[in-house]
Amino acid sequence: MRIIVIGATGTIGKEVVRALEGRHEVVKVGHRGGDHQVDITDKGSIERLFREVGAFDALVSAAGQARFGPLESLSDEDFRVCLDDKLMGQVDLVRAGLGQVRDGGSFTLTSGLLAKYPVRGSSAITMINAALEAFTRAAALEMPRGARINVVSPTWVSETLVAMGRDGSGGLPAATVARAYVESVEGTRNGETLDVRSFA
Ligand SMILES: NC(=O)c1ccc[n+]([C@@H]2O[C@H](COP(=O)([O-])OP(=O)(O)OC[C@H]3O[C@@H](n4cnc5c(N)ncnc54)[C@H](OP(=O)(O)O)[C@@H]3O)[C@@H](O)[C@H]2O)c1
């Protein structure tokens, strides 16, 4: 398969690339790094990327910024970043990619466990993660030519916790999280939220 990985230079994306490379042709896309660059908050940039890379069998998005903070402190800009980057950035990857996904191909997006298990400070992130999962359920009903769409819901990634100076054992290694993306790409699921904890 020809697989585009958006966020290929990131903590999760790097392991997704590692898990897929070898069996598939992987096109690595970053914001500043990677073989190709895209800014998912800019539709022109997304359209340019698809013109550059051409047809594909699967698109994986392991990108998307969101802001965490107390509800009373989250600014208009914090909410806008969540909506424009992690939510609409990923939705626009699907909308723009529909014309170029090959028959029977797939899209895999990224949400997060905060969608289902909110904590104090997660109101904006919980909102957009849940929206991504709702979008995926509905969009699956309209995928053209046998295409599929799923969303992976990661818990804390161990490497991310360590980078934050916290105990990595509270999360799952990125290599384990990557298994959920592989299942979405290589399996037959459609319209599902894949909870990474079931791949540990
Ligand atoms: N890590 C966790 O613990 C965790 C937990 C739950 C959910 N998630 C979700 O998983 C996803 C990936 O997280 P991560 O920790 O792997 O992220 P990360 O290490 O920060 O990597 C982000 C990746 O996205 C790319 N990127 C950044 N801004 C972009 C933009 N505007 N357009 C296109 N690409 C952009 C980066 O490219 P460059 O390197 O070129 O800048 C990089 O490849 C995010 O949606 C995050 O919310 C992560």
Side-chain angles (χ1 to χ4, degrees), residues 28-67:
K28 304 177 204 68
V29 182
H31 188 207
R32 284 169 293 270
D35 303 334
H36 297 266
Q37 290 73 44
V38 72
D39 178 359
I40 62 170
T41 67
D42 174 354
K43 281 189 84 176
S45 172
I46 293 176
E47 284 160 7
R48 207 159 37 246
L49 172 75
F50 284 126
R51 279 198 299 276
E52 269 171 41
V53 300
F56 61 88
D57 299 289
L59 179 138
V60 171
S61 167
Q65 274 194 56
R67 299 261 172 97

Side-chain angles (χ1 to χ4, degrees), residues 23 26 30 35 48 54 60 84 106 111 128 142 164 184 197 200:
R23 290 194 305 285
V26 179
D35 303 334
R48 207 159 37 246
V60 171
D84 292 347
S106 70
S111 61
I128 48 125
E142 298 186 47
M164 293 164 68
S184 173
R197 295 173 305 174

Side-chain angles (χ1 to χ4, degrees), residues 108-161:
T108 305
L109 308 182
T110 300
S111 61
L113 277 197
L114 290 170
K116 270 200 182 152
Y117 306 102
V119 297
R120 294 174 71 87
S122 77
S123 56
I125 303 186
T126 291
M127 174 183 76
I128 48 125
N129 281 347
L132 282 160
E133 294 174 5
F135 169 76
T136 298
R137 281 197 298 278
L141 305 174
E142 298 186 47
M143 284 289 113
R145 299 174 282 102
R148 302 177 293 107
I149 179 169
N150 296 298
V151 58
V152 170
S153 176
T155 183
W156 277 112
V157 173
S158 306
E159 290 89 332
T160 304
L161 286 172

